[in-house]
Every structure is written in C-alpha cells, then in structure tokens.
Amino acid sequence: MRTNWAGGGRVFGYARGRRALVAGSALACVLETLTMSVLLRDWPPLDQVVPVLGLLAVASVAALHASSVARPHLLDPDTFALRLRRAARADVIVPLGHIASAERELRVARRRSDGELDLPVGFRTSITLQLAEPVTHFTLLGRQREVHAVHFHADDAELVVATLQAQLRAVRRGRSVPSTCPGPPG
C-alpha cells in the first residue's frame, strides 16, 4: 500500500491499535447483511438491495482503515517538523522548535480542552507534546484553532518519543529551525 509521505522522513504508524475494531466492524456488517437478507427474503426488491448496502458498508470500514495506514505520522528532518495525522480528518504540522517536551503518556481521550488537540486511536493516546509556542490546527471544515498541547497515538510510542527527543536535542544544539507559514497542510 502506498503511504502518503515525502521521501527522507521517518514514518510512525498508528493504525495497528484499531485492527481488532476494524475486523469486528467488518464482521458486524457482514452478519447484519446476512440477517437482513434472511428477514427480507419475502420482499425480492429489498432482498436485492441489502447485499449491495452490505458490500458498501464493508468497503467503507476497509477504506477508513486504509486511510489510517496510508497517512502515518511523519518526522521530516529536512523541514524540522513533525506532521501528525489521523486518517483524512486531521493533519497538523508541528515545527520541532515549538516542542517544549515529548512524553510517553497513556491517556483515555476525554472531553476536548481549550488549546489541546487529541488525535486518539481507539479512544486513547500514548504521547503528549507540550508546545513552547502554539501551532495552528485546521479542522476538517477549515476552522483555525491554536493548540499548545497535542495528545496523539503511535504504535511504538517509546520509539517515537526517543526519536523526537534526539531530534529536539539536535535542534537545540544550534541548528536553526526554519519558520513555518500557518496554512492548511498540503
């Protein structure tokens, strides 16, 4: 499967944690389709539509999972930025110079706080970024939100935190961080 990222960066997946949920949802769609076919066997026009709807439901579940696999988090050392994603719904670019700390913190997603961005998988996050300077997050409908803390999930949270801390040390040792233009991610 093709992943949507530029070469040279390091990718960190987050879709492994939802495999069981995806498999369970697909199985539920198949069972629902079979049950509806049995219940509607006396109404042929409806009985012919139900398998098509069931196939579309399974395809939708598979497409949601595929979008998570194809759009992983990306640490790009060339632009000194961490690109955090959640399928096609969220895409926020965090310059490494804006990160004050990166910690492994297992949390259950809760009600959204002002200035915080949660990118959970299965209602949980595993990494917390505290930002020294806020970054702009564009919502799915294009609204702007300033965030000072980002909570997100990664399959290998310890590796992500270790890699981020190494990159942060390198940035703080004297490399300059290019300025970023707050605009919707491309």
Side-chain angles (χ1 to χ4, degrees):
M1 180 178 292
R2 180 185 76 84
T3 54
N4 186 5
W5 59 281
R10 180 129 189 225
V11 296
F12 302 106
Y14 56 90
R16 185 174 44 193
R18 64 171 23 161
R19 283 184 192 160
L21 179 64
V22 169
S25 297
L27 179 64
C29 291
V30 168
L31 291 176
E32 181 183 32
T33 301
L34 293 174
T35 303
M36 291 304 293
S37 292
V38 169
L39 291 174
L40 297 173
R41 67 179 173 261
D42 294 334
W43 292 293
L46 292 177
D47 188 35
Q48 293 171 357
V49 172
V50 167
V52 173
L53 294 176
L55 183 63
L56 288 173
V58 171
S60 296
V61 168
L64 285 173
H65 183 64
S67 68
S68 295
V69 171
R71 295 176 51 86
H73 303 310
L74 171 68
L75 176 61
D76 191 354
D78 296 334
T79 61
F80 298 101
L82 176 65
R83 190 171 186 176
L84 300 173
R85 298 169 168 166
R86 182 168 177 238
R89 294 183 181 170
D91 191 351
V92 62
I93 297 173
V94 181
L96 293 180
H98 288 32
I99 299 175
S101 68
E103 300 173 358
R104 180 165 165 35
E105 178 184 22
L106 188 60
R107 297 174 14 133
V108 175
R110 53 186 166 75
R111 206 172 287 180
R112 185 179 0 184
S113 300
D114 223 13
E116 291 187 357
L117 176 64
D118 282 345
L119 302 174
V121 172
F123 298 106
R124 64 189 171 116
T125 61
S126 56
I127 299 171
T128 297
L129 297 180
Q130 294 295 333
L131 305 178
E133 297 178 40
V135 296
T136 303
H137 168 248
F138 291 87
T139 65
L140 185 62
L141 298 176
R143 281 189 331 190
Q144 291 185 14
R145 265 185 70 210
E146 296 292 318
V147 295
H148 58 81
V150 181
H151 308 282
F152 66 99
H153 178 74
D155 292 337
D156 192 353
E158 289 179 17
L159 175 66
V160 173
V161 170
T163 305
L164 273 175
Q165 288 174 345
Q167 287 289 323
L168 291 173
R169 282 191 298 273
V171 166
R172 290 180 183 134
R173 267 197 313 258
R175 287 199 229 168
S176 64
V177 178
S179 65
T180 58
C181 174

